[in-house]
Amino acid sequence: MKRQDHSLRLDEQFEEQVKRTPDGVAVHYQSGSITFAELKTASHRLAAALRSAGIRDGCLVGLHMERSIAYVVSVLAILQSNSAVVPLPPSYPEGRLRDILSFAALDAVIDDADTPLSPLLSNRIIHFSDVADAAPDSGGAALTSPDQPAFVLCSSGSTGKPKMIVRSHRSFFHRLRWTWENHPYSIGEVCCQKSHMTTTHAIYELFEPLLRGIPVHIIADQEVRTLEPFWEAIHARSISRLLIVPSVLQASMDMPGFVAPPLKVLVLMGESVHAGLAGRTIAAFPGQTKIFSIYGSTEASSTLVCDLKESYRPGEELPLGKPISADVRAYVLGADLEQVAPGEVGMLHIAGSPLFTAYLKDPALTASVFVTRPDGNERLYRTHDQVRRMPDSSLHFVGRIDHTVKIRGFRVDLQEVEKAILLHRDVRQSAVILSDSDPGNAMLLGFVAPGSVAQPSVYQVLREHLPAYMVPSVLVSLDSFPLTSSGKVDRQKLLEDYAGRAPAGTPSPPQTETQRRVSDVWAGVLKHGSIQPDSNFFQVGGTSLTVFAAVHRLREAFKLDRRQLSDLSIYQYPTVEALASYIDRLHDGSAPPPAPANSTLVTLKGGADSTLPPLVVISSAGGTLGAYDKVVRALKTRREVIGVRDPFIWGDRDATLGFQNWVTRYVNAIRERQPRGPYYLMAYSSAGVFGYEIARHLQRDGQEVALLALIDPLAMDRATRLRYGYWALQARFMRPAFGRIVLLGGRVRMAVPRWLRASGRSGRENDMALSKDEFRQFATDARTDRAHILRLSALLELNTGLPFALTESELAQVGPDGYLAALLARVKSVSPEIDPETIENIVIQYSLQVRSQHEYRLQRYDGKVIIFDPDGPYQGLLAAQFRPYVKQLRVRRVPLGPQSDRTRLLSAVFPERICSHYLSMRDDVFVRALAEELETLLQ
């Protein structure tokens, strides 16, 4: 094998770069980094472990990890093993992973502790942490051809299963060399890797700079998903080059106050660029920024390039461009496979080294996209893109001739989405169409028949089988589909009738003008258009904080004051129809309909099966349900999920009446919604005392409690040193030896027979009432407690992602009497529609609930309790505390993932030894594992 062949291998190029810059930083991720020499050593160790596990030339190795330094180590190790990388994003739903793994029969899958792959999906799982420290062997693998597979990338396919596209090492180098030769890097440049790992974008973002000694910042998914933090990261890290999807750039420039960073090179890739966006981009970015649009697909990426500054003419269509290098040959052919004349339209065909090798295990599909012209032996890839060949040899996009579309840079085969919809047992017909009447804001419209199909249950099926970018933004239920004269679905008619309504958020037409205006407000607040007359605010993405924004905008839209439209109104009238009816009655002067008797309960997630009892979650400290947002979204249960809020936060509960009155309010609300058991209850943190006592009340009333799930019920029953709960908390702050003594004492007390414990009746000692004077002093103390205000502001930010958190220095400037005012001012500056009185009530309620948690005395519970305990050094303390009282107790350890820089900064206000308690329900790894455990328990 000649040396120049080896130079077209990604791993060989990396080895050469290590020799040039061994001590330079190769990759940054969060607060960590790794040099080129360290990256080489780490990848060689892992490659040796892979070879020891039998991974050899031509193997396919899945990578089920989030993008990180470990991810880069794994990519290089797989390539060094002469194997191909198969990215398996942990964000994929289990159904899609199952489809990929059962079809591909991979030789191995690498995962790590933060993103474990279910053993049910593969019997060849290699845990990164188990093999990362393997001893490197001296020989390594012999280098093979650059035409050997390097990556297998999953894309959307018309068969209902993902296509798996095999790409060689060689197939990436035309693009790498275009950058290196035409736009060489300068000393001091910094680049970033932020693209979805199944795209070619991610490969170019990593290897273009890495193979030329330029450090790469990996920007975590949580920063990429939200535009403002993403651009903050670009500015803060002084990123010099950026690859971005056009629709994402357009949305970014639509943000108030957007400031373009001083980039050296900006590449738009993944979608066509319309002239309006090109003009805005050129105007927004500094004059020295080079701006390009690059065309391609996963099968033949980065084949045509357009210099936007050279090509842009106001009001004129932009060309796709010209071949990016001599390695790319582009042909516009007619049906006879002959070149069309200038000015004519034909199908674009690509030849040359950028082409993919094959569709994995599908020779028939591979053969169907390649053709050979009558006058030669060159293999051509049929792109299915119709283009016009211009006299200057540039190419202009006309349209697709198949069912494939691009959404936010991802290729989506509409037939795959349609087949996923048909997995719903009640759907007999489906159609999916791209609505792109607004350039840069394309969306998928899904149509289902019959009209009686419950849309929430269709969305649930889709989310179980498709990644988020493939789920339609709008679903429309129809009794029947319009047909063409030949009997086929008239997709053009569907598009004409419904696409115009989609951007306004109304997939099926509202019945009244008021409903339309309410829908528009909700769509604006929730940032999507899937709002229908019977949509429930909390089932289509609303939360306990976005409700304030919605009410604020509704007051402005309908000229209503706070007395007429209170913050409680959406809880009382949670659907568009109900709220519009209420507003109409206000305007015409008639008596509004009576509000629902029970506004304590909120539907957090609709259920696909109304015969199943709901899962009921109890509000944590603060009285709201924000801490449950992530886990509710992650749950795939067919049960409805109901949240119980504390009426105190809207002034409807007298806090002096005591704990038992408080619990009774909750029990009555739950039983009004579900008169009889079995009941399924879940409570996090200080809500644990309420979940526990609610379960005891229900049992006392002869009702079955099928599930009582307590998530880290820390610091319960610790009112005095005579209670074990006091020592169970203190043990976390002791030296390890003393902590073990506390744990041993807890195990000894387990020997006391349960019948000697307090009976199942609610005891007076758990009433914990306050006099009015005591309550006033308690409320004052809550408002002036510096640590309390700091922690609450941090939790508000952790729950919402909005910058609510205060700092020590900010509170030091105002003193105790100004703490609450500082918090209210911050909330107003971030989200002015949130009512200050509600925030003040949350501040007081938080302290009241924590007080109940501390003073509550555990009593006997004759049922089953599942405790979910964040993984850490203090395992066993909760079991030792609860087991003497609970008839049947199980404790499950749940892992935590790495934290972002911002999360680590926020967590500094919490005591270090119990920091995991506050972060657990905001941690993606913990939430995913918790949701999987709960789904099993709820079956």
Side-chain angles (χ1 to χ4, degrees), residues 501-569:
R501 301 187 181 105
T506 54
S508 59
Q511 298 172 348
T512 69
E513 175 63 16
T514 304
Q515 287 182 13
R516 185 192 66 77
R517 293 169 68 189
V518 171
S519 295
D520 287 349
V521 168
W522 286 16
V525 170
L526 302 177
K527 310 298 185 189
H528 70 79
S530 187
I531 312 295
Q532 301 183 64
D534 61 350
S535 290
N536 181 298
F537 183 80
F538 300 98
Q539 294 180 32
V540 293
T543 68
S544 55
L545 281 176
T546 54
V547 70
F548 297 119
V551 170
H552 177 77
R553 295 188 191 185
L554 287 167
R555 287 180 192 140
E556 291 184 339
F558 291 100
K559 304 296 188 293
L560 298 172
D561 59 30
R562 180 179 173 80
R563 177 184 56 82
Q564 295 168 305
L565 197 69
S566 72
D567 293 330
L568 195 59
S569 57

Side-chain angles (χ1 to χ4, degrees), residues 24-35 39 67-69 72 189-193 206 210 214-220 237 239 901:
V25 173
V27 181
H28 297 272
Y29 179 62
Q30 296 182 346
S31 60
S33 63
I34 189 170
T35 67
L39 183 55
R67 293 178 299 105
S68 62
I69 291 175
V72 177
E189 284 200 61
V190 179
C191 292
C192 71
Q193 199 284 314
L206 176 62
L210 188 70
I214 302 301
V216 179
H217 276 276
I218 295 178
I219 302 181
R237 291 158 184 164
I239 300 302
D901 292 343

Side-chain angles (χ1 to χ4, degrees), residues 421-422 424-431 446-458 475-481 498 532:
I421 293 174
L422 290 171
H424 189 287
R425 63 182 182 277
D426 297 329
V427 174
R428 68 167 184 260
Q429 194 173 16
S430 71
F447 299 85
V448 299
S452 59
V453 174
Q455 291 189 11
S457 62
V458 178
L475 281 178
V476 181
S477 297
L478 301 173
D479 290 328
S480 61
F481 286 2
Y498 295 97
Q532 301 183 64

Side-chain angles (χ1 to χ4, degrees), residues 333-502:
L333 307 180
D336 58 358
L337 296 184
E338 296 292 340
Q339 288 260 40
V340 301
E344 293 186 358
V345 173
M347 186 193 296
L348 177 62
H349 292 68
I350 300 292
S353 65
L355 296 187
F356 78 119
T357 303
Y359 294 114
L360 183 69
K361 297 185 177 182
D362 199 335
L365 181 61
T366 303
S368 72
V369 299
F370 284 108
V371 297
T372 302
R373 294 182 65 194
D375 60 351
N377 297 319
E378 191 170 41
R379 191 172 77 150
L380 307 180
Y381 168 64
R382 301 169 67 238
T383 67
H384 290 85
D385 283 333
Q386 294 283 90
V387 301
R388 179 174 283 106
R389 182 184 171 201
M390 306 304 289
D392 65 354
S393 298
S394 67
L395 306 175
H396 285 248
F397 180 72
V398 175
R400 292 285 295 179
I401 63 169
D402 61 6
H403 296 285
T404 303
V405 299
K406 281 288 187 78
I407 294 288
R408 296 182 295 282
F410 293 99
R411 188 171 69 181
V412 176
D413 192 300
L414 301 179
Q415 292 181 346
E416 182 177 1
V417 185
E418 291 172 355
K419 287 179 170 64
I421 293 174
L422 290 171
L423 294 175
H424 189 287
R425 63 182 182 277
D426 297 329
V427 174
R428 68 167 184 260
Q429 194 173 16
S430 71
V432 178
I433 303 172
L434 177 73
S435 171
D436 58 357
S437 56
D438 179 11
N441 285 318
M443 64 193 306
L444 294 181
L445 303 179
F447 299 85
V448 299
S452 59
V453 174
Q455 291 189 11
S457 62
V458 178
Y459 273 118
Q460 182 168 341
V461 169
L462 289 172
R463 290 182 180 119
E464 289 173 358
H465 292 274
L466 300 177
Y469 66 85
M470 293 179 66
V471 176
S473 299
V474 172
L475 281 178
V476 181
S477 297
L478 301 173
D479 290 328
S480 61
F481 286 2
L483 303 177
T484 65
S485 58
S486 62
K488 297 181 179 180
V489 173
D490 191 337
R491 294 172 184 272
Q492 187 60 39
K493 177 68 172 173
L494 286 173
L495 191 60
E496 291 172 357
D497 287 351
Y498 295 97
R501 301 187 181 105

